[in-house]
Amino acid sequence: MTIKDKDNDDIQFYDFHPTPTDFFGEVLDGLMNEKKFIPPKFFYNEKGSKIFDAICESPEYYPTRTEIEILQNNAAEISKYIDADCLLIEPGSGSSQKVRLLLDTLKPSVYMPMDISKDYLIQIAKDISTEYRWLDVHAACIDYTDKIKLPYNLDDVHKVAFFPGSSIGNFEPSDAIKFLENIADIVKPGGGILIGVDLKKNSDVLNAAYNDSTGATADFNLNLLTRINEELDADFDLNNFEHSAYYNDTKGRVEMHLKSKKHQTVSVADKDISFLENETIHTENSYKYTLHEFQDLLRAAGFEPLRVWTDDNDLFSVHYCNLPLN
Ligand code: AVJ
């Protein structure tokens, strides 16, 4: 094995200066909508990200541990579809935990984490670079819901996107296709995507996963109101709202809401927002797919599904697909 002569934590960094999200504007828009909603991306402040980690540890929330098991059990087979020396791109890389399960087996030449939080991205990129001395790490600060661009073009390099965690489930199916088309544009014909997707299953299992016994999911949902109180000068009384999550069978998705326990008025900055008893703020959709439904979605974006791995209980799936050459 050759160890590249790079300094311990050397990385390349590309800043695309993503537009900072307008928390205030988006929250007010959502709360003044006829059907109140707040986009799920706002869950993930520092506290919210910690609570999300607690969700993943809860006995009922199976997706994270199941996907990790699938990646661990099948890393060798996965690597048959992906060239060593590829450029491995991860949109929304966050803590880059799951990619670590693949790096030693996949042996990409470049790992490109992409994230909107610049400081955290650089820290994680440096950690990976220190730990995997043979790997070049090229971090890109970018909003992956915008049009993603690569900082340079490597026409001859096999480009593969890694999108784990069933993050794709947060998109409306039509937006999921647009996102996948954006990925197709980056990886180019011959490139591919390795993507984790939560599966449709008995609704009791789904309902339990989003109403875990430790209360972490409820905390995660309610933390949104704490964050609004702290950052936007609002006065939500957390005792007057409750976590609500259920599988909507017609739509094929788990919905999360914050339900008002009574008729009340809340002020956000200088705006008064009134709630009827049982009125909700819709905070998240988490779409679930059958293997065939998701393969159709991949095909609609131009990908060719080549292989799918699941766990023994068919809870979760990891798909590999490529973008055909013509
Ligand atoms: C990170 C979006 C995949 O939808 O299961 C977990 C977020 N919300 N529990 C999911 C979440 C409530 C999670 N995703």
Side-chain angles (χ1 to χ4, degrees), residues 7 11 20 51 55 67 71 92 110 114 126 133 144 148 158 160 163 174 177 186-187 205 210 212 274 288 312:
D7 283 345
I11 63 160
I51 306 174
I55 291 177
E67 184 179 42
L71 293 172
V110 181
M114 294 180 158
K126 287 184 169 175
R133 291 290 303 271
Y144 77 74
I148 307 174
H158 189 215
V160 174
F163 199 57
S174 56
I177 294 172
I186 297 168
V187 300
V205 176
Y210 292 81
D212 70 277
S274 75
K288 310 301 172 187
D312 291 343

Side-chain angles (χ1 to χ4, degrees), residues 40 43-44 52 55-56 61 63 164-170 198 209-210 217 220 243 254 256 284-288 316:
F43 282 134
Y44 302 90
F52 181 69
I55 291 177
C56 297
Y61 191 75
S166 204
S167 302
I168 193 84
N170 272 167
D198 197 15
Y210 292 81
T217 313
F220 181 68
H243 167 70
V254 171
M256 290 216 308
E284 185 170 50
N285 287 323
S286 188
Y287 279 87
K288 310 301 172 187
F316 200 90

Side-chain angles (χ1 to χ4, degrees), residues 23-38 225 228-229 232-237 240-241 258 260-277 279-282:
F23 186 41
F24 180 69
E26 288 199 45
V27 166
L28 268 192
D29 274 3
L31 291 180
M32 286 163 61
N33 198 53
E34 152 115 28
K35 288 193 168 210
K36 297 180 172 64
F37 71 94
I38 298 174
L225 299 182
I228 293 170
N229 283 345
L232 303 181
D233 186 27
D235 63 358
F236 281 97
D237 181 340
N240 293 339
F241 286 86
L258 288 160
S260 175
K261 293 190 199 169
K262 57 176 206 183
H263 178 85
Q264 58 181 318
T265 300
V266 174
S267 69
V268 181
D270 56 348
K271 295 270 190 298
D272 283 342
I273 313 281
S274 75
F275 290 86
L276 301 171
E277 186 177 350
E279 185 178 353
T280 74
I281 307 171
H282 190 167

Side-chain angles (χ1 to χ4, degrees), residues 61-64 165-173 196-203 205-207 209-210 246-256 284-294 297 314-317:
Y61 191 75
Y62 61 85
T64 309
S166 204
S167 302
I168 193 84
N170 272 167
F171 290 109
E172 289 300 309
V197 187
D198 197 15
L199 294 172
K200 282 192 171 150
K201 59 183 62 65
N202 182 315
S203 59
V205 176
L206 288 168
N207 287 325
Y210 292 81
Y246 53 86
Y247 183 61
N248 178 334
D249 190 46
T250 323
K251 300 248 167 93
R253 69 193 192 197
V254 171
E255 297 185 10
M256 290 216 308
E284 185 170 50
N285 287 323
S286 188
Y287 279 87
K288 310 301 172 187
Y289 293 92
T290 65
L291 293 177
H292 287 292
E293 282 170 346
F294 198 70
L297 198 95
D314 288 331
L315 295 173
F316 200 90
S317 62

